[in-house]
Amino acid sequence: MILVQTGMPIGNLTSQFFANVYLNELDHFVKHKLKAKYYIRYVDDFVILHRNKQIPLEWKIKIGEFLKSIKLELHPEKSKVYTLHKGVSILGFRVFYHYKLPYRRNLRRFKKRLENIQQSYAKDEITPEDMERQIEGWLAYAAWANTYKLRSRVNEEINNN
C-alpha cells in the first residue's frame, strides 16, 4: 500500500472548527475529482492510500494546486508519499497494517505525569478519586491503540498505591 500523508499549517484552536468547514472543498476534490477510495482527514491532517505509487505522487501535485486555489498549501516536511509498512503518523498514533501504537513522546510524557500524580497522592495533596480522574483521560486515549499490557500495568500500579 502506498500513501500520501500530509498536513496543512492551520494554527490556533478556533481553526479546528473552520478547518472542517473550509476543507470540505478538499474532501470533495479528493473524493469526487481524484476519486480516491481510501481518504482519511481529521482537521488539517489527511492520509490517502493507493496500491500504485505513481498515482499518489500525481495526486500530491494536484492537491497542492487545488489548495493554492483556496489559499492553502501542503506542509513541506509533512507531505510525503511512502509505503505503508513504515506506518502512518496520525492523531498521536503510529498506525501499521495490523496494529497501532501511541507516539513514544506521548508515552514518556505520560510516564512523567504519572510519577507527578503518584507523588502528589503520596503527599496527600490529591485523593484517590482525583488521581484516577487525572489518569482516566490518558487511559482512554491509549485504549485506541494496542496498549492492553501497558494499561494493565498502569491500573495495577494505581491499585497498589
Side-chain angles (χ1 to χ4, degrees):
M1 212 35 97
I2 307 297
L3 62 95
V4 174
Q5 180 177 4
T6 190
M8 293 157 282
I10 293 290
N12 65 38
L13 292 176
T14 59
S15 297
Q16 293 176 7
F17 169 76
F18 291 113
N20 285 327
V21 173
Y22 198 62
L23 292 175
N24 184 51
E25 291 182 50
L26 173 65
D27 298 340
H28 285 282
F29 176 78
V30 171
K31 293 297 281 183
H32 300 291
K33 297 283 189 215
L34 299 180
K35 302 210 184 299
K37 189 173 181 181
Y38 303 105
Y39 167 68
I40 303 163
R41 182 180 65 80
Y42 182 79
V43 187
D44 62 338
D45 290 326
F46 66 90
V47 173
I48 303 173
L49 301 167
H50 200 281
R51 291 190 182 279
N52 180 334
K53 187 174 185 175
Q54 191 58 39
I55 291 173
L57 288 168
E58 293 169 12
W59 284 353
K60 183 180 172 192
I61 293 166
K62 290 178 181 179
I63 290 168
E65 290 168 359
F66 173 79
L67 288 173
K68 284 180 187 172
S69 76
I70 58 172
K71 302 195 178 6
L72 289 175
E73 60 185 27
L74 292 173
H75 193 290
E77 283 105 46
K78 291 183 181 179
S79 302
K80 299 174 184 171
V81 175
Y82 55 89
T83 59
L84 187 57
H85 78 274
K86 294 180 180 179
V88 178
S89 292
I90 190 163
L91 304 176
F93 297 100
R94 190 86 181 147
V95 182
F96 297 89
Y97 275 109
H98 302 291
Y99 65 98
K100 61 186 161 208
L101 301 170
Y103 288 157
R104 284 188 183 138
R105 70 175 178 259
N106 290 350
L107 293 174
R108 285 190 301 267
R109 203 177 298 143
F110 175 71
K111 185 177 179 184
K112 181 72 174 154
R113 183 169 165 229
L114 181 59
E115 289 170 5
N116 291 338
I117 291 168
Q118 289 174 319
Q119 288 172 2
S120 293
Y121 177 71
K123 295 176 186 174
D124 288 328
E125 295 172 350
I126 61 172
T127 65
E129 293 79 19
D130 290 334
M131 182 171 73
E132 185 178 324
R133 200 170 21 255
Q134 290 180 35
I135 294 168
E136 230 170 63
W138 188 86
L139 291 174
Y141 154 76
W144 286 96
N146 298 83
T147 58
Y148 177 79
K149 289 180 183 177
L150 173 65
R151 289 179 289 123
S152 296
R153 281 195 312 262
V154 169
N155 280 322
E156 201 173 293
E157 197 171 319
I158 292 167
N159 291 332
N160 289 337
N161 283 331

